[in-house]
Each structure stands twice: as C-alpha cells, then as structure tokens.
Amino acid sequence: MTDTRPTGIDPRSPRFGAAITTVLLALTIVLTLVPTTYVVGIVLLAVIVALFAVGGIGGIRRHPYGAFFRRFVRLRLAPPADLEAPEPPTFAQQVGLFVTAVALLLALVGVPYAAPVGAAVALVAAFLNAVFDVCIGCILYVWLVRAGVLRPRRTTA
C-alpha cells in the first residue's frame, strides 16, 4: 500500500514559529542585559535551546509551534498554495540550536554578553523569516547541498 499523505509542510507554519521565536529571543536579550533578571533570561534561553532541539533533532513536524499551528491556526486559513520540503526548515532549526546552545554554554561558563549576543544573532534570522519569509537556515541548507557538503535526505518526521 502506498502512502498518499503529502510529504511537504505548510510554509506558513515555520513562519508562525519564527514569529513566536522572535518575541522570545527579544525578551531573552532584554532579560539577560538587566542584572536582576539575568537568571530568568538564561532560563528562557535554555527553553529556546530545547525548542530548537525538538525541531532540529526530531524534525520540523514535531516542533510544538507547528503542532499549535496545525491544531489552532491552519484550520482558520485557506489551504496553502504549495507545500514545502521539511528538510530546509529542519536544518534551520539545527542552525538555531547550534547558535543558541553555544550562547547558552558560553553564558553558563561566564563569558560576558554571550547570551544576549547569541540571542541577537538568532533573533535576526527568526525576524527575517517571520516578517520577510527569508529563511537563512533554509538558504544555507540549499547552498550546502549544491556544494556537495550535505546530501539531501528525506526526513520521516
């Protein structure tokens, strides 16, 4: 029996997630720049790292924002004109995981401003995706595949 489910994802879902991520990262920057809320900002950054881990390791379809989008938002929208491959947004989640995890680790070992700078880097990428539909991680994925550095693989998640 052939699986007839669509293999792509609604392209609006990663943008929805990027909008939420943008807000959380902006809040992280503010919290980590104020000494009295620094620890709260670090905890929030750890939560963001965990969310990127779910999307980057488990696949974009398993990301909690995507589940929320499918359950509550997509039902109120017209069907998407096209579906997109899940691999580029999953790779983008992996890039976000790397950037935020490095920032978190550096902050935990005491590197000054590691948390807000790392969050700012991730914020720029999330903002570009949310507002302008420019996914830096997706573009990087395509470049790396074309250069032969990555082999495209179909995710099962």
Side-chain angles (χ1 to χ4, degrees):
M1 185 158 103
T2 305
D3 187 2
T4 58
R5 289 180 297 176
T7 58
I9 61 169
D10 186 328
R12 299 169 295 188
S13 180
R15 288 186 74 188
F16 174 79
I20 296 169
T21 302
T22 297
V23 172
L24 293 178
L25 288 165
L27 185 57
T28 299
I29 293 167
V30 171
L31 291 171
T32 56
L33 288 173
V34 178
T36 58
T37 59
Y38 181 80
V39 173
V40 176
I42 294 300
V43 170
L44 181 55
L45 183 58
V47 168
I48 294 167
V49 168
L51 288 165
F52 275 130
V54 171
I57 297 168
I60 194 71
R61 287 189 180 108
R62 288 196 172 100
H63 197 286
Y65 300 158
F68 185 88
F69 178 84
R70 287 188 303 276
R71 177 86 167 108
F72 299 106
V73 179
R74 186 173 180 181
L75 302 172
R76 291 164 174 73
L77 303 174
D82 294 305
L83 298 177
E84 73 179 17
E87 295 80 16
T90 297
F91 183 78
Q93 290 287 304
Q94 293 166 354
V95 172
L97 171 60
F98 177 78
V99 169
T100 55
V102 167
L104 179 61
L105 290 173
L106 291 174
L108 290 174
V109 298
V111 176
Y113 299 106
V117 169
V121 170
L123 174 105
V124 169
F127 179 81
L128 288 173
N129 191 1
V131 176
F132 299 108
D133 197 17
V134 174
C135 176
I136 301 299
C138 301
I139 294 168
L140 182 59
Y141 175 84
V142 171
W143 287 349
L144 292 173
V145 167
R146 287 183 183 163
V149 175
L150 290 178
R151 287 191 335 199
R153 67 183 165 107
R154 298 301 300 177
T155 56
T156 57

